[in-house]
Amino acid sequence: MPQDNKPAKTPNPAPVTDQPSAKAPKTRAGKTRTKALGVQGLGSAVAVEKVDTEYLQTLMGYNARRAALSIIELFMERLAPYGLKPVDFSVMSTIHHNPGVTSRQLCATLNLLPPNLVGLIQSLESRGLIERQPHPHDGRALGLHASAKGQALMQQAEQTASDLELEKTAKLTAAERKTLLALLQKIYL
């Protein structure tokens, strides 16, 4: 029977970390294999005292995402009593301020995919927050309107959102806040 001359496959070595894992085998010295591997071939092992993100901080996307995450975390916490997630809030606010807006307009304005909006609209309607009414100019379309319950909810929710944004941007002056909004909008509008 002919033998295969291919070398036997060896399992991938354990990843290099500072933390021992349950899977890391021990060496004779009692260290885990990952610690024994250290940073072989790279010189002596080093410890990072202060993480350098100087390059990342030069990137617009990184900074915008970090700022957004710090606000969204608080937003989700504060708007939970209203039963609104960020996308629900955006859709409800747009409907509240634009009575008769169509689903197509919502998708275009908020950069939403139609299949994602269908379930969201159904959910808001089943909660009694919005109503569908015939569109005055397009017989095939339905306009979306905030119900009285939806209007009352949005007045409270928008006040909560405004308050938390002021809180999260307290280090900015009113002029800086206005400038930041204008600059961010220049990027995506």
Side-chain angles (χ1 to χ4, degrees):
M1 192 171 236
Q3 296 240 344
D4 193 359
N5 289 334
K6 293 180 184 175
K9 289 186 177 181
T10 58
N12 291 335
V16 177
T17 70
D18 286 340
Q19 301 297 320
S21 72
K23 296 180 183 176
K26 300 273 186 182
T27 64
R28 285 185 210 161
K31 296 179 181 177
T32 62
R33 181 172 177 219
T34 54
K35 278 205 183 239
L37 288 174
V39 282
Q40 287 180 346
L42 299 177
S44 62
V46 295
V48 175
E49 297 299 322
K50 183 176 185 306
V51 177
D52 180 4
T53 59
E54 188 174 325
Y55 172 73
L56 291 174
Q57 291 175 0
T58 68
L59 301 175
M60 190 64 59
Y62 176 80
N63 286 286
R65 181 74 173 151
R66 291 293 304 265
L69 287 173
S70 75
I71 292 171
I72 288 170
E73 183 180 338
L74 186 58
F75 181 93
M76 292 178 70
E77 178 186 311
R78 300 265 176 94
L79 270 77
Y82 304 107
L84 297 172
K85 295 178 182 163
V87 70
D88 304 331
F89 178 85
S90 296
V91 168
M92 275 302 301
S93 181
T94 305
I95 293 170
H96 178 65
H97 293 284
N98 300 276
V101 67
T102 65
S103 293
R104 178 174 286 185
Q105 290 173 310
L106 280 173
C107 288
T109 302
L110 299 176
N111 197 26
L112 298 172
L113 295 173
N116 296 341
L117 185 63
V118 170
L120 200 149
I121 293 296
Q122 289 173 344
S123 173
L124 295 172
E125 188 175 34
S126 70
R127 290 176 59 191
L129 300 176
I130 63 170
E131 301 165 344
R132 300 179 207 221
Q133 297 176 9
H135 194 277
H137 308 297
D138 184 350
R140 298 168 295 157
L142 292 173
L144 301 169
H145 299 262
S147 65
K149 179 180 176 182
Q151 290 174 19
L153 178 86
M154 286 313 295
Q155 287 174 349
Q156 294 173 2
E158 286 180 348
Q159 184 61 56
T160 299
S162 294
D163 292 346
L164 78 87
E165 288 221 343
L166 285 173
E167 180 182 327
K168 286 301 284 184
T169 60
K171 293 179 182 175
L172 303 177
T173 66
E176 288 172 330
R177 196 175 294 114
K178 186 176 180 179
T179 299
L180 178 58
L181 286 172
L183 293 173
L184 290 171
Q185 290 166 7
K186 276 187 169 185
I187 294 171
Y188 74 86
L189 290 178

CSV table of all heavy atoms in Angstrom, one decimal, residues 116-158:
chain,number,residue,atom,x,y,z
A,116,ASN,N,-37.0,45.7,7.1
A,116,ASN,CA,-36.8,46.0,8.5
A,116,ASN,C,-37.9,47.0,9.0
A,116,ASN,O,-38.2,46.9,10.2
A,116,ASN,CB,-35.4,46.6,8.7
A,116,ASN,CG,-34.3,45.6,8.4
A,116,ASN,OD1,-34.5,44.4,8.3
A,116,ASN,ND2,-33.2,46.2,8.1
A,117,LEU,N,-38.4,47.9,8.2
A,117,LEU,CA,-39.3,48.8,8.6
A,117,LEU,C,-40.7,48.2,8.8
A,117,LEU,O,-41.5,48.6,9.7
A,117,LEU,CB,-39.4,50.0,7.6
A,117,LEU,CG,-40.3,51.2,8.0
A,117,LEU,CD1,-39.8,51.8,9.3
A,117,LEU,CD2,-40.4,52.2,6.9
A,118,VAL,N,-41.1,47.2,8.0
A,118,VAL,CA,-42.4,46.6,8.0
A,118,VAL,C,-42.8,46.2,9.4
A,118,VAL,O,-43.8,46.5,10.0
A,118,VAL,CB,-42.5,45.5,7.0
A,118,VAL,CG1,-43.8,44.7,7.2
A,118,VAL,CG2,-42.4,46.0,5.6
A,119,GLY,N,-41.9,45.4,10.0
A,119,GLY,CA,-42.2,44.8,11.3
A,119,GLY,C,-42.2,45.9,12.4
A,119,GLY,O,-43.0,45.9,13.3
A,120,LEU,N,-41.3,46.9,12.3
A,120,LEU,CA,-41.3,48.0,13.2
A,120,LEU,C,-42.6,48.8,13.2
A,120,LEU,O,-43.2,49.1,14.2
A,120,LEU,CB,-40.1,48.9,12.8
A,120,LEU,CG,-39.6,49.8,13.9
A,120,LEU,CD1,-38.1,50.0,13.8
A,120,LEU,CD2,-40.3,51.1,13.9
A,121,ILE,N,-43.1,49.1,12.0
A,121,ILE,CA,-44.3,49.8,11.8
A,121,ILE,C,-45.5,49.0,12.4
A,121,ILE,O,-46.3,49.6,13.1
A,121,ILE,CB,-44.6,50.2,10.3
A,121,ILE,CG1,-43.6,51.1,9.8
A,121,ILE,CG2,-46.0,50.7,10.1
A,121,ILE,CD1,-43.6,52.5,10.4
A,122,GLN,N,-45.5,47.7,12.1
A,122,GLN,CA,-46.6,46.9,12.7
A,122,GLN,C,-46.5,46.9,14.2
A,122,GLN,O,-47.5,46.9,14.9
A,122,GLN,CB,-46.4,45.4,12.2
A,122,GLN,CG,-46.8,45.3,10.7
A,122,GLN,CD,-46.5,43.9,10.1
A,122,GLN,OE1,-45.7,43.1,10.7
A,122,GLN,NE2,-47.1,43.6,9.0
A,123,SER,N,-45.3,46.9,14.8
A,123,SER,CA,-45.2,46.9,16.2
A,123,SER,C,-45.7,48.2,16.8
A,123,SER,O,-46.4,48.2,17.8
A,123,SER,CB,-43.7,46.7,16.6
A,123,SER,OG,-43.5,46.8,18.0
A,124,LEU,N,-45.3,49.3,16.2
A,124,LEU,CA,-45.7,50.6,16.7
A,124,LEU,C,-47.2,50.8,16.6
A,124,LEU,O,-47.9,51.3,17.4
A,124,LEU,CB,-45.0,51.7,16.0
A,124,LEU,CG,-43.5,51.8,16.2
A,124,LEU,CD1,-42.9,52.8,15.2
A,124,LEU,CD2,-43.1,52.1,17.6
A,125,GLU,N,-47.8,50.2,15.5
A,125,GLU,CA,-49.2,50.3,15.3
A,125,GLU,C,-49.9,49.4,16.3
A,125,GLU,O,-51.0,49.9,16.9
A,125,GLU,CB,-49.6,49.9,13.9
A,125,GLU,CG,-51.0,50.1,13.5
A,125,GLU,CD,-51.3,49.8,12.0
A,125,GLU,OE1,-50.7,48.8,11.5
A,125,GLU,OE2,-52.1,50.5,11.4
A,126,SER,N,-49.4,48.2,16.6
A,126,SER,CA,-50.1,47.4,17.6
A,126,SER,C,-50.0,47.9,19.0
A,126,SER,O,-50.9,47.6,19.8
A,126,SER,CB,-49.5,46.0,17.5
A,126,SER,OG,-48.2,46.0,18.1
A,127,ARG,N,-49.0,48.8,19.3
A,127,ARG,CA,-48.9,49.5,20.6
A,127,ARG,C,-49.8,50.7,20.6
A,127,ARG,O,-49.9,51.4,21.6
A,127,ARG,CB,-47.5,49.9,20.8
A,127,ARG,CG,-46.6,48.7,21.1
A,127,ARG,CD,-45.1,49.2,21.3
A,127,ARG,NE,-45.0,50.2,22.3
A,127,ARG,CZ,-43.9,50.9,22.5
A,127,ARG,NH1,-42.8,50.7,21.8
A,127,ARG,NH2,-43.8,51.7,23.6
A,128,GLY,N,-50.5,51.0,19.5
A,128,GLY,CA,-51.4,52.2,19.5
A,128,GLY,C,-50.7,53.5,19.4
A,128,GLY,O,-51.2,54.5,19.7
A,129,LEU,N,-49.4,53.5,18.9
A,129,LEU,CA,-48.6,54.7,18.8
A,129,LEU,C,-48.7,55.4,17.5
A,129,LEU,O,-48.5,56.6,17.4
A,129,LEU,CB,-47.1,54.4,19.1
A,129,LEU,CG,-46.8,53.8,20.5
A,129,LEU,CD1,-45.4,53.5,20.6
A,129,LEU,CD2,-47.3,54.8,21.6
A,130,ILE,N,-49.1,54.7,16.4
A,130,ILE,CA,-49.2,55.3,15.1
A,130,ILE,C,-50.5,54.7,14.4
A,130,ILE,O,-51.0,53.7,14.8
A,130,ILE,CB,-48.0,55.0,14.2
A,130,ILE,CG1,-47.8,53.5,13.9
A,130,ILE,CG2,-46.7,55.6,14.7
A,130,ILE,CD1,-46.8,53.2,12.8
A,131,GLU,N,-50.9,55.5,13.4
A,131,GLU,CA,-52.1,55.1,12.6
A,131,GLU,C,-51.7,55.3,11.2
A,131,GLU,O,-51.0,56.2,10.8
A,131,GLU,CB,-53.3,56.0,13.0
A,131,GLU,CG,-53.7,55.9,14.4
A,131,GLU,CD,-54.6,57.1,14.8
A,131,GLU,OE1,-54.7,58.1,14.1
A,131,GLU,OE2,-55.2,57.0,15.9
A,132,ARG,N,-52.3,54.4,10.3
A,132,ARG,CA,-52.1,54.5,8.9
A,132,ARG,C,-53.4,55.2,8.3
A,132,ARG,O,-54.5,54.8,8.7
A,132,ARG,CB,-51.9,53.2,8.2
A,132,ARG,CG,-50.7,52.4,8.7
A,132,ARG,CD,-50.7,51.1,8.1
A,132,ARG,NE,-50.0,50.1,8.9
A,132,ARG,CZ,-49.1,49.2,8.4
A,132,ARG,NH1,-48.9,49.2,7.1
A,132,ARG,NH2,-48.5,48.4,9.2
A,133,GLN,N,-53.2,56.2,7.5
A,133,GLN,CA,-54.3,56.8,6.8
A,133,GLN,C,-54.0,57.0,5.4
A,133,GLN,O,-52.9,57.1,4.9
A,133,GLN,CB,-54.5,58.2,7.5
A,133,GLN,CG,-54.9,58.2,8.9
A,133,GLN,CD,-55.0,59.6,9.6
A,133,GLN,OE1,-54.9,60.6,8.9
A,133,GLN,NE2,-55.1,59.6,10.9
A,134,PRO,N,-55.1,57.0,4.5
A,134,PRO,CA,-54.9,57.2,3.1
A,134,PRO,C,-54.0,58.4,2.8
A,134,PRO,O,-54.2,59.5,3.4
A,134,PRO,CB,-56.3,57.3,2.5
A,134,PRO,CG,-57.2,56.7,3.5
A,134,PRO,CD,-56.5,56.9,4.9
A,135,HIS,N,-53.1,58.3,1.8
A,135,HIS,CA,-52.3,59.5,1.4
A,135,HIS,C,-53.1,60.4,0.5
A,135,HIS,O,-53.8,59.9,-0.4
A,135,HIS,CB,-51.0,58.9,0.7
A,135,HIS,CG,-50.0,60.0,0.5
A,135,HIS,ND1,-50.0,60.9,-0.5
A,135,HIS,CD2,-48.9,60.2,1.3
A,135,HIS,CE1,-48.9,61.7,-0.4
A,135,HIS,NE2,-48.2,61.3,0.7
A,136,PRO,N,-53.1,61.7,0.7
A,136,PRO,CA,-53.9,62.6,0.0
A,136,PRO,C,-53.5,62.7,-1.5
A,136,PRO,O,-54.4,63.0,-2.3
A,136,PRO,CB,-53.7,63.9,0.7
A,136,PRO,CG,-52.4,63.8,1.4
A,136,PRO,CD,-52.3,62.4,1.8
A,137,HIS,N,-52.3,62.4,-1.9
A,137,HIS,CA,-51.9,62.5,-3.3
A,137,HIS,C,-51.6,61.2,-4.0
A,137,HIS,O,-51.5,61.2,-5.2
A,137,HIS,CB,-50.6,63.4,-3.3
A,137,HIS,CG,-50.8,64.7,-2.6
A,137,HIS,ND1,-51.8,65.7,-3.0
A,137,HIS,CD2,-50.2,65.3,-1.5
A,137,HIS,CE1,-51.7,66.7,-2.2
A,137,HIS,NE2,-50.7,66.5,-1.3
A,138,ASP,N,-51.4,60.2,-3.2
A,138,ASP,CA,-51.0,58.9,-3.8
A,138,ASP,C,-51.9,57.8,-3.3
A,138,ASP,O,-51.8,57.4,-2.2
A,138,ASP,CB,-49.5,58.5,-3.5
A,138,ASP,CG,-49.0,57.3,-4.1
A,138,ASP,OD1,-49.8,56.5,-4.7
A,138,ASP,OD2,-47.8,57.0,-4.0
A,139,GLY,N,-52.9,57.4,-4.2
A,139,GLY,CA,-53.9,56.4,-3.8
A,139,GLY,C,-53.3,55.1,-3.4
A,139,GLY,O,-53.9,54.3,-2.7
A,140,ARG,N,-52.1,54.8,-3.8
A,140,ARG,CA,-51.4,53.5,-3.5
A,140,ARG,C,-50.7,53.5,-2.1
A,140,ARG,O,-50.3,52.5,-1.6
A,140,ARG,CB,-50.4,53.1,-4.5
A,140,ARG,CG,-51.1,52.9,-5.9
A,140,ARG,CD,-50.0,52.8,-7.0
A,140,ARG,NE,-49.3,54.1,-7.1
A,140,ARG,CZ,-48.1,54.2,-7.5
A,140,ARG,NH1,-47.4,53.2,-8.0
A,140,ARG,NH2,-47.5,55.4,-7.6
A,141,ALA,N,-50.4,54.7,-1.6
A,141,ALA,CA,-49.6,54.8,-0.4
A,141,ALA,C,-50.5,55.1,0.8
A,141,ALA,O,-51.6,55.7,0.7
A,141,ALA,CB,-48.6,55.9,-0.6
A,142,LEU,N,-50.0,54.8,2.0
A,142,LEU,CA,-50.6,55.2,3.2
A,142,LEU,C,-49.7,56.1,4.0
A,142,LEU,O,-48.5,55.9,4.0
A,142,LEU,CB,-50.8,53.9,4.1
A,142,LEU,CG,-51.9,52.9,3.6
A,142,LEU,CD1,-51.9,51.7,4.4
A,142,LEU,CD2,-53.3,53.6,3.6
A,143,GLY,N,-50.3,57.1,4.6
A,143,GLY,CA,-49.5,58.1,5.4
A,143,GLY,C,-49.5,57.6,6.8
A,143,GLY,O,-50.5,57.0,7.3
A,144,LEU,N,-48.4,57.8,7.5
A,144,LEU,CA,-48.3,57.4,8.9
A,144,LEU,C,-48.4,58.6,9.8
A,144,LEU,O,-47.8,59.7,9.5
A,144,LEU,CB,-46.9,56.7,9.1
A,144,LEU,CG,-46.7,55.5,8.2
A,144,LEU,CD1,-45.2,55.0,8.3
A,144,LEU,CD2,-47.6,54.3,8.6
A,145,HIS,N,-49.2,58.4,10.8
A,145,HIS,CA,-49.5,59.5,11.8
A,145,HIS,C,-49.3,59.0,13.2
A,145,HIS,O,-49.7,57.9,13.5
A,145,HIS,CB,-50.9,60.0,11.6
A,145,HIS,CG,-51.2,60.5,10.2
A,145,HIS,ND1,-51.2,61.9,9.9
A,145,HIS,CD2,-51.5,59.9,9.1
A,145,HIS,CE1,-51.5,62.1,8.7
A,145,HIS,NE2,-51.7,60.9,8.1
A,146,ALA,N,-48.8,59.9,14.0
A,146,ALA,CA,-48.7,59.5,15.5
A,146,ALA,C,-50.1,59.7,16.1
A,146,ALA,O,-50.7,60.7,15.8
A,146,ALA,CB,-47.7,60.4,16.2
A,147,SER,N,-50.5,58.7,16.8
A,147,SER,CA,-51.8,58.7,17.5
A,147,SER,C,-51.6,59.7,18.6
A,147,SER,O,-50.5,60.2,19.0
A,147,SER,CB,-52.2,57.4,18.0
A,147,SER,OG,-51.2,56.9,19.0
A,148,ALA,N,-52.7,60.0,19.3
A,148,ALA,CA,-52.7,60.9,20.5
A,148,ALA,C,-51.7,60.2,21.5
A,148,ALA,O,-50.9,60.9,22.2
A,148,ALA,CB,-54.1,61.1,21.1
A,149,LYS,N,-51.8,58.9,21.7
A,149,LYS,CA,-50.9,58.2,22.6
A,149,LYS,C,-49.5,58.3,22.2
A,149,LYS,O,-48.6,58.6,23.0
A,149,LYS,CB,-51.3,56.7,22.7
A,149,LYS,CG,-50.5,55.9,23.6
A,149,LYS,CD,-51.0,54.4,23.6
A,149,LYS,CE,-50.1,53.5,24.4
A,149,LYS,NZ,-50.6,52.1,24.4
A,150,GLY,N,-49.2,58.2,20.8
A,150,GLY,CA,-47.9,58.3,20.3
A,150,GLY,C,-47.3,59.7,20.4
A,150,GLY,O,-46.1,59.9,20.7
A,151,GLN,N,-48.2,60.7,20.3
A,151,GLN,CA,-47.7,62.1,20.4
A,151,GLN,C,-47.3,62.4,21.9
A,151,GLN,O,-46.3,63.0,22.1
A,151,GLN,CB,-48.8,63.1,20.0
A,151,GLN,CG,-49.1,63.1,18.5
A,151,GLN,CD,-50.3,63.9,18.1
A,151,GLN,OE1,-50.7,64.8,18.8
A,151,GLN,NE2,-50.8,63.7,16.9
A,152,ALA,N,-48.1,61.9,22.8
A,152,ALA,CA,-47.8,62.1,24.2
A,152,ALA,C,-46.5,61.4,24.6
A,152,ALA,O,-45.7,62.0,25.3
A,152,ALA,CB,-49.0,61.7,25.1
A,153,LEU,N,-46.4,60.2,24.1
A,153,LEU,CA,-45.1,59.4,24.4
A,153,LEU,C,-43.9,60.2,23.8
A,153,LEU,O,-42.9,60.3,24.5
A,153,LEU,CB,-45.3,58.0,23.8
A,153,LEU,CG,-44.0,57.2,24.0
A,153,LEU,CD1,-44.1,56.5,25.3
A,153,LEU,CD2,-43.9,56.2,22.8
A,154,MET,N,-44.0,60.7,22.6
A,154,MET,CA,-42.9,61.3,21.9
A,154,MET,C,-42.5,62.6,22.6
A,154,MET,O,-41.3,63.0,22.6
A,154,MET,CB,-43.1,61.5,20.4
A,154,MET,CG,-43.0,60.2,19.7
A,154,MET,SD,-41.6,59.1,20.1
A,154,MET,CE,-40.2,60.2,19.5
A,155,GLN,N,-43.5,63.3,23.1
A,155,GLN,CA,-43.2,64.6,23.8
A,155,GLN,C,-42.3,64.3,25.0
A,155,GLN,O,-41.3,64.9,25.3
A,155,GLN,CB,-44.4,65.3,24.2
A,155,GLN,CG,-45.1,66.0,23.1
A,155,GLN,CD,-46.5,66.6,23.4
A,155,GLN,OE1,-47.0,66.4,24.5
A,155,GLN,NE2,-47.0,67.4,22.5
A,156,GLN,N,-42.6,63.2,25.7
A,156,GLN,CA,-41.8,62.8,26.9
A,156,GLN,C,-40.5,62.2,26.5
A,156,GLN,O,-39.4,62.6,27.1
A,156,GLN,CB,-42.6,61.8,27.7
A,156,GLN,CG,-43.9,62.4,28.4
A,156,GLN,CD,-44.7,61.3,29.1
A,156,GLN,OE1,-44.3,60.1,29.1
A,156,GLN,NE2,-45.8,61.6,29.6
A,157,ALA,N,-40.5,61.3,25.5
A,157,ALA,CA,-39.3,60.7,25.1
A,157,ALA,C,-38.3,61.7,24.5
A,157,ALA,O,-37.1,61.6,24.7
A,157,ALA,CB,-39.6,59.6,24.1
A,158,GLU,N,-38.8,62.6,23.7
A,158,GLU,CA,-37.9,63.6,23.1
A,158,GLU,C,-37.3,64.5,24.1
A,158,GLU,O,-36.1,64.9,24.0
A,158,GLU,CB,-38.6,64.4,22.0
A,158,GLU,CG,-38.8,63.6,20.7
A,158,GLU,CD,-39.5,64.3,19.6
A,158,GLU,OE1,-40.0,65.4,19.8
A,158,GLU,OE2,-39.5,63.8,18.5
